[in-house]
Amino acid sequence: IFAFNGAVINNLLGATFLVESGSDLVYENVGERPQFHNAGTFRKTGDAPPLGHDYAGPGTTLEADFHNSGAVEAQHNHFRAG
């Protein structure tokens, strides 16, 4: 996912944001930094390389300010925010 100009992702209470691959949320310094607000569950379950894209290696990185009041579950490999 590419996020520019202060993009905001809200994972609401009771919701699950599921990451099943090794894809990242990418910010390329265009506008304000993106925000990820997690009040639900952020769950990483897989690490398959994304199809048709460069693959930087295992794990998922969120290049966003990660605000967490919910749950984070890294069930496969690793997850990094910031």
Side-chain angles (χ1 to χ4, degrees), residues 33 60-64 66 79-82:
R33 191 168 173 80
T60 295
T61 299
L62 294 186
E63 294 178 355
F66 189 78
F79 161 70
R80 183 179 69 158

Side-chain angles (χ1 to χ4, degrees), residues 3 7 17 28-29 41 45 56 60-61 71 77 80:
F17 190 93
E28 294 184 339
N29 297 314
T41 300
T45 61
T60 295
T61 299
N77 213 311
R80 183 179 69 158

Side-chain angles (χ1 to χ4, degrees), residues 20-66:
E20 298 177 311
S21 73
S23 295
D24 299 324
L25 185 140
V26 178
Y27 167 60
E28 294 184 339
N29 297 314
V30 177
E32 292 187 38
R33 191 168 173 80
Q35 306 289 310
F36 193 109
H37 300 274
N38 181 47
T41 300
F42 182 98
R43 182 178 294 142
K44 176 156 175 54
T45 61
D47 214 32
L51 297 176
H53 298 280
D54 293 334
Y55 183 57
T60 295
T61 299
L62 294 186
E63 294 178 355
D65 294 335
F66 189 78

